[in-house]
Every structure is written in C-alpha cells, then in structure tokens.
Amino acid sequence: MQSLIGTGVALVTPFKKDFSVDVDALVRIVKHQIDNHIEYLVVLGTTAESATLNKAEKDLVIQTIIDANNGKLPLVLGVGGNNTAEVIEELQTRDLSKFAAVLSVSPYYNKPTQEGIYQHFKAIAQASPVPVILYNVPGRTASNMTPETVIRLANDFKNIVAIKEAAGDIVQAMELIKNKPKDFLVISGDDMITLPMVLAGGSGVISVIGEGFPRQFSEMVRLGLQRKVDEAYQLHYQFSESIDLIFEQGNPAGIKEVFKSLGLSENTVRLPLVNADESLAKRIHDFTQKNR
C-alpha cells in the first residue's frame, strides 16, 4: 500500500449558506489538494460531516470527488459505524472500484470490549472487497482500540493494511509501530503529533490541517520520512499554531474558516455544529493570509 504513505487529507463537505452541498466548492477543494501535491484523498470521513448527510448527498459527494480527481490521486472511502451488519451491507452493495481502501472507524457509543472490536473488524475484513484501514479515535468513540487488538487484527487478516491512530498518545503509537507486521502502516490521525510519529517509524498522516495548507504540511511529512529532521520541524512549528486554532471550537468549523479565508468555500456547518465565533474566525483568517 505504497500509495497510502505520506499525507492524505480528510476532505470537508462544503455547504452553501442554505446548507445544501456546494458541488462547485468541493471541486475547488479537491483541485487545491491535487495542485499542492497531497498523496491521497479521504472521502466521507468525520471531517466531511458525514453523520449529517443523507444517502443521496453522500452519493453526490462521492461522485463529485471521483470526477474532480479524475484518477489523479488514490481515494479512500469512509465506511464505518456502530452497526456491524449495516457496515457490511454498505461494503457489499456500494461500488468501491474507484477506491484504494476503506477507512472504518472503531464502533462508537456502544463501547464494545476489545473482543467485540476484534469481531466487528473481522466481519468487515471478510466482507470488504478492498483493503481496510482501521480508525482508532477514542475521543469520539468512547473506547480505545488497544495495540494488542490492532496487532491481532493485522496478523489475522491480510486485507487489514493500516490504522489511522488518533488516540493522541505517542506512547501507544510507538507500541504499534514497534510490534506491527512489516508492511502494516501506522498512520497518524492527530495533526499535532504527526511528525513525531513519522520519525518513530509511522507512515504519514490523514490530516485536517493538511487540506488547508497542503503544500507545506505534505512537505513536512515528506521531510520527516526522509529523516530531514531540522527542516521538518521548522515546518511543524510554523503550523503548530494553526492546528490548535482549527480544533479550538471543533472540527470542521475551524478548517472551514481556513477555506473561507482562501476563497474556496463558505464556512457553513450543519447543526449540531456551529460556526467558529468571530474572535476565532479572525485569528484563523490572519494566520491563513500570512501563511497561504
């Protein structure tokens, strides 16, 4: 899965002021990633506000991105949930021929045991026609997928090829990197510790800030992979402030302010999310204009 090494970005779903999907803005955002050398695109992840999209809107977002990308970058599709049977049904009925892999979040709200998490992903691995990237984000799911469970899954199922690790715990990430099978990828899901994870042996990132500043953030990751530490950290510290800013009042409200400042889309989010307040929006705008 060499195509998943480097920087992937979790694309937003831009909305017009009337809350409808803004297809034109989505095309602009995809081209912004391509033109600035992102390695791959993640479609319908958490950052896409996929929980607020109906089926027709999801289909529209998927097709718009496929068309705008036109085969230039690998695509990864978010297919996950806390109803195992429903996830399997989507894997078996959706056309995944344009996708290099699916990204599947560990079940949220139900708070399964580690054995429950293992059995959930076992069923997904057996049903998926494409490779599977696990997604551990305990801040959203309310349960942590332990390194032992991840390594067990990676060893038992050849089509489980990677994990997006977003526990925000560098020690846990290092344990994964140390004990993983040789070709299994540990991908950062936390922008702030992406570089330390890469330098520890990780394979890159699925980023939020990276879609706002794709040229600089993807270059930081490449420098890290090349072990050019000083140059990589120079970029890390240049953009660390922006990472704090975009998550200060929730995702994707912050990154949508970046896109508004870049003139790529409106900053509209759907309830229960709300826009960044005036103070934060100004700080994001000032940073974006200074570093664009």
Side-chain angles (χ1 to χ4, degrees), residues 106-107 111-122 136 138 141-153 172:
S106 186
K111 295 186 73 174
T113 63
Q114 293 302 305
E115 184 62 26
I117 293 171
Y118 175 88
Q119 293 296 333
H120 172 82
F121 282 115
K122 174 182 177 180
N136 184 40
T141 64
S143 65
N144 182 43
M145 183 163 36
T146 65
E148 292 79 9
T149 299
V150 174
I151 301 306
R152 182 184 172 199
L153 285 163
Q172 178 163 298

Tab-separated table of all heavy atoms in Angstrom, residues 106-107 111-122 136 138 141-153 172:
chain	number	residue	atom	x	y	z
A	106	SER	N	-13.594	2.569	14.574
A	106	SER	CA	-13.969	1.647	15.639
A	106	SER	C	-15.356	2.022	16.159
A	106	SER	O	-15.699	3.204	16.256
A	106	SER	CB	-12.945	1.726	16.770
A	106	SER	OG	-13.188	0.752	17.752
A	107	PRO	N	-16.192	1.037	16.478
A	107	PRO	CA	-17.589	1.334	16.848
A	107	PRO	C	-17.698	2.321	18.010
A	107	PRO	O	-17.025	2.176	19.030
A	107	PRO	CB	-18.148	-0.040	17.237
A	107	PRO	CG	-17.308	-1.013	16.502
A	107	PRO	CD	-15.930	-0.404	16.466
A	111	LYS	N	-19.565	1.153	23.049
A	111	LYS	CA	-18.463	0.823	23.947
A	111	LYS	C	-18.228	-0.687	24.026
A	111	LYS	O	-18.312	-1.291	25.100
A	111	LYS	CB	-18.692	1.416	25.341
A	111	LYS	CG	-18.689	2.949	25.355
A	111	LYS	CD	-18.780	3.515	26.754
A	111	LYS	CE	-17.476	3.330	27.506
A	111	LYS	NZ	-17.507	4.016	28.829
A	112	PRO	N	-17.925	-1.318	22.890
A	112	PRO	CA	-17.664	-2.762	22.914
A	112	PRO	C	-16.366	-3.088	23.642
A	112	PRO	O	-15.479	-2.245	23.785
A	112	PRO	CB	-17.555	-3.112	21.426
A	112	PRO	CG	-17.111	-1.848	20.777
A	112	PRO	CD	-17.766	-0.749	21.542
A	113	THR	N	-16.259	-4.346	24.080
A	113	THR	CA	-14.999	-4.838	24.626
A	113	THR	C	-13.975	-4.965	23.495
A	113	THR	O	-14.307	-4.837	22.316
A	113	THR	CB	-15.189	-6.216	25.262
A	113	THR	OG1	-15.586	-7.147	24.231
A	113	THR	CG2	-16.252	-6.179	26.359
A	114	GLN	N	-12.731	-5.272	23.857
A	114	GLN	CA	-11.716	-5.493	22.827
A	114	GLN	C	-12.089	-6.685	21.936
A	114	GLN	O	-11.858	-6.654	20.727
A	114	GLN	CB	-10.343	-5.711	23.467
A	114	GLN	CG	-9.791	-4.488	24.174
A	114	GLN	CD	-9.659	-3.283	23.263
A	114	GLN	OE1	-9.016	-3.353	22.219
A	114	GLN	NE2	-10.280	-2.161	23.651
A	115	GLU	N	-12.697	-7.699	22.521
A	115	GLU	CA	-13.137	-8.834	21.702
A	115	GLU	C	-14.249	-8.413	20.750
A	115	GLU	O	-14.289	-8.860	19.592
A	115	GLU	CB	-13.615	-9.987	22.586
A	115	GLU	CG	-14.007	-11.249	21.821
A	115	GLU	CD	-12.854	-11.866	21.029
A	115	GLU	OE1	-11.682	-11.671	21.408
A	115	GLU	OE2	-13.138	-12.547	20.028
A	116	GLY	N	-15.139	-7.540	21.224
A	116	GLY	CA	-16.195	-7.029	20.348
A	116	GLY	C	-15.628	-6.221	19.191
A	116	GLY	O	-16.086	-6.338	18.045
A	117	ILE	N	-14.617	-5.405	19.476
A	117	ILE	CA	-13.957	-4.633	18.415
A	117	ILE	C	-13.298	-5.583	17.419
A	117	ILE	O	-13.410	-5.397	16.193
A	117	ILE	CB	-12.924	-3.661	19.018
A	117	ILE	CG1	-13.636	-2.567	19.833
A	117	ILE	CG2	-12.059	-3.033	17.926
A	117	ILE	CD1	-12.701	-1.691	20.644
A	118	TYR	N	-12.626	-6.610	17.934
A	118	TYR	CA	-11.979	-7.581	17.045
A	118	TYR	C	-13.011	-8.256	16.145
A	118	TYR	O	-12.809	-8.354	14.927
A	118	TYR	CB	-11.238	-8.638	17.875
A	118	TYR	CG	-10.652	-9.741	17.026
A	118	TYR	CD1	-9.388	-9.621	16.473
A	118	TYR	CD2	-11.381	-10.897	16.755
A	118	TYR	CE1	-8.855	-10.616	15.674
A	118	TYR	CE2	-10.866	-11.902	15.951
A	118	TYR	CZ	-9.605	-11.758	15.415
A	118	TYR	OH	-9.096	-12.741	14.607
A	119	GLN	N	-14.107	-8.712	16.714
A	119	GLN	CA	-15.119	-9.426	15.923
A	119	GLN	C	-15.773	-8.492	14.898
A	119	GLN	O	-16.108	-8.916	13.786
A	119	GLN	CB	-16.172	-10.040	16.847
A	119	GLN	CG	-15.648	-11.158	17.733
A	119	GLN	CD	-15.170	-12.368	16.948
A	119	GLN	OE1	-15.624	-12.641	15.840
A	119	GLN	NE2	-14.223	-13.099	17.533
A	120	HIS	N	-15.962	-7.222	15.258
A	120	HIS	CA	-16.505	-6.225	14.330
A	120	HIS	C	-15.604	-6.102	13.101
A	120	HIS	O	-16.072	-6.193	11.951
A	120	HIS	CB	-16.619	-4.880	15.050
A	120	HIS	CG	-16.988	-3.720	14.177
A	120	HIS	ND1	-18.289	-3.441	13.817
A	120	HIS	CD2	-16.211	-2.753	13.596
A	120	HIS	CE1	-18.308	-2.353	13.050
A	120	HIS	NE2	-17.062	-1.920	12.895
A	121	PHE	N	-14.311	-5.925	13.329
A	121	PHE	CA	-13.402	-5.745	12.196
A	121	PHE	C	-13.105	-7.052	11.468
A	121	PHE	O	-12.794	-7.035	10.269
A	121	PHE	CB	-12.122	-5.052	12.653
A	121	PHE	CG	-12.301	-3.571	12.839
A	121	PHE	CD1	-12.187	-2.990	14.092
A	121	PHE	CD2	-12.611	-2.751	11.756
A	121	PHE	CE1	-12.372	-1.621	14.255
A	121	PHE	CE2	-12.792	-1.390	11.909
A	121	PHE	CZ	-12.673	-0.818	13.164
A	122	LYS	N	-13.214	-8.168	12.160
A	122	LYS	CA	-13.116	-9.460	11.476
A	122	LYS	C	-14.220	-9.573	10.431
A	122	LYS	O	-13.958	-9.954	9.278
A	122	LYS	CB	-13.230	-10.600	12.480
A	122	LYS	CG	-13.274	-11.993	11.845
A	122	LYS	CD	-13.450	-13.084	12.899
A	122	LYS	CE	-13.564	-14.457	12.241
A	122	LYS	NZ	-13.735	-15.527	13.270
A	136	ASN	N	-8.808	4.405	14.893
A	136	ASN	CA	-8.950	4.475	16.343
A	136	ASN	C	-8.981	5.929	16.778
A	136	ASN	O	-7.990	6.646	16.626
A	136	ASN	CB	-7.780	3.764	17.025
A	136	ASN	CG	-7.935	3.737	18.539
A	136	ASN	OD1	-9.033	3.534	19.059
A	136	ASN	ND2	-6.839	3.920	19.259
A	138	PRO	N	-10.518	7.366	20.142
A	138	PRO	CA	-11.293	7.221	21.378
A	138	PRO	C	-11.937	8.497	21.877
A	138	PRO	O	-12.936	8.443	22.602
A	138	PRO	CB	-10.268	6.679	22.379
A	138	PRO	CG	-8.929	6.933	21.775
A	138	PRO	CD	-9.125	6.926	20.302
A	141	THR	N	-15.151	7.931	19.985
A	141	THR	CA	-15.852	6.651	20.093
A	141	THR	C	-16.140	6.241	21.525
A	141	THR	O	-16.975	5.368	21.763
A	141	THR	CB	-15.036	5.523	19.435
A	141	THR	OG1	-13.810	5.354	20.153
A	141	THR	CG2	-14.740	5.841	17.982
A	142	ALA	N	-15.428	6.825	22.482
A	142	ALA	CA	-15.548	6.500	23.908
A	142	ALA	C	-14.954	5.144	24.247
A	142	ALA	O	-15.162	4.624	25.340
A	142	ALA	CB	-17.004	6.572	24.385
A	143	SER	N	-14.195	4.551	23.325
A	143	SER	CA	-13.451	3.330	23.651
A	143	SER	C	-12.168	3.300	22.840
A	143	SER	O	-12.160	3.683	21.664
A	143	SER	CB	-14.286	2.073	23.373
A	143	SER	OG	-14.558	1.923	22.001
A	144	ASN	N	-11.105	2.853	23.475
A	144	ASN	CA	-9.795	2.809	22.826
A	144	ASN	C	-9.556	1.417	22.247
A	144	ASN	O	-9.778	0.411	22.918
A	144	ASN	CB	-8.694	3.136	23.840
A	144	ASN	CG	-7.315	3.152	23.225
A	144	ASN	OD1	-7.132	3.687	22.135
A	144	ASN	ND2	-6.338	2.577	23.915
A	145	MET	N	-9.104	1.351	21.005
A	145	MET	CA	-8.685	0.097	20.409
A	145	MET	C	-7.220	-0.112	20.787
A	145	MET	O	-6.344	0.629	20.334
A	145	MET	CB	-8.882	0.142	18.887
A	145	MET	CG	-8.549	-1.140	18.204
A	145	MET	SD	-9.229	-1.303	16.506
A	145	MET	CE	-9.111	0.345	15.870
A	146	THR	N	-6.949	-1.096	21.611
A	146	THR	CA	-5.609	-1.260	22.158
A	146	THR	C	-4.636	-1.757	21.091
A	146	THR	O	-5.041	-2.392	20.103
A	146	THR	CB	-5.608	-2.258	23.319
A	146	THR	OG1	-5.958	-3.557	22.820
A	146	THR	CG2	-6.581	-1.838	24.414
A	147	PRO	N	-3.342	-1.504	21.277
A	147	PRO	CA	-2.360	-2.046	20.343
A	147	PRO	C	-2.446	-3.560	20.182
A	147	PRO	O	-2.252	-4.088	19.085
A	147	PRO	CB	-1.020	-1.621	20.964
A	147	PRO	CG	-1.342	-0.361	21.698
A	147	PRO	CD	-2.716	-0.590	22.257
A	148	GLU	N	-2.760	-4.268	21.258
A	148	GLU	CA	-2.880	-5.723	21.168
A	148	GLU	C	-3.989	-6.134	20.197
A	148	GLU	O	-3.809	-7.060	19.388
A	148	GLU	CB	-3.159	-6.318	22.558
A	148	GLU	CG	-2.017	-6.211	23.538
A	148	GLU	CD	-1.893	-4.830	24.182
A	148	GLU	OE1	-2.801	-3.992	24.007
A	148	GLU	OE2	-0.870	-4.582	24.856
A	149	THR	N	-5.109	-5.445	20.242
A	149	THR	CA	-6.216	-5.748	19.331
A	149	THR	C	-5.850	-5.406	17.896
A	149	THR	O	-6.133	-6.173	16.968
A	149	THR	CB	-7.479	-4.976	19.763
A	149	THR	OG1	-7.844	-5.386	21.086
A	149	THR	CG2	-8.634	-5.239	18.824
A	150	VAL	N	-5.200	-4.274	17.707
A	150	VAL	CA	-4.793	-3.861	16.364
A	150	VAL	C	-3.818	-4.870	15.763
A	150	VAL	O	-3.974	-5.307	14.612
A	150	VAL	CB	-4.157	-2.457	16.395
A	150	VAL	CG1	-3.605	-2.078	15.021
A	150	VAL	CG2	-5.170	-1.421	16.862
A	151	ILE	N	-2.814	-5.257	16.525
A	151	ILE	CA	-1.799	-6.196	16.025
A	151	ILE	C	-2.437	-7.553	15.746
A	151	ILE	O	-2.106	-8.216	14.749
A	151	ILE	CB	-0.635	-6.326	17.023
A	151	ILE	CG1	0.031	-4.968	17.262
A	151	ILE	CG2	0.378	-7.349	16.527
A	151	ILE	CD1	0.490	-4.248	16.033
A	152	ARG	N	-3.352	-7.967	16.579
A	152	ARG	CA	-4.073	-9.234	16.346
A	152	ARG	C	-4.815	-9.184	15.022
A	152	ARG	O	-4.741	-10.116	14.214
A	152	ARG	CB	-5.030	-9.487	17.504
A	152	ARG	CG	-5.810	-10.789	17.437
A	152	ARG	CD	-6.788	-10.868	18.593
A	152	ARG	NE	-7.683	-12.014	18.476
A	152	ARG	CZ	-8.838	-12.125	19.130
A	152	ARG	NH1	-9.228	-11.158	19.970
A	152	ARG	NH2	-9.600	-13.199	18.959
A	153	LEU	N	-5.517	-8.106	14.764
A	153	LEU	CA	-6.241	-7.952	13.501
A	153	LEU	C	-5.285	-7.900	12.315
A	153	LEU	O	-5.526	-8.535	11.280
A	153	LEU	CB	-7.092	-6.679	13.542
A	153	LEU	CG	-8.365	-6.746	14.398
A	153	LEU	CD1	-8.885	-5.342	14.695
A	153	LEU	CD2	-9.440	-7.572	13.705
A	172	GLN	N	1.415	4.992	22.879
A	172	GLN	CA	0.618	3.953	22.240
A	172	GLN	C	0.998	3.823	20.767
A	172	GLN	O	1.093	2.702	20.232
A	172	GLN	CB	-0.875	4.267	22.374
A	172	GLN	CG	-1.781	3.248	21.687
A	172	GLN	CD	-3.215	3.332	22.154
A	172	GLN	OE1	-3.512	3.112	23.325
A	172	GLN	NE2	-4.126	3.656	21.246
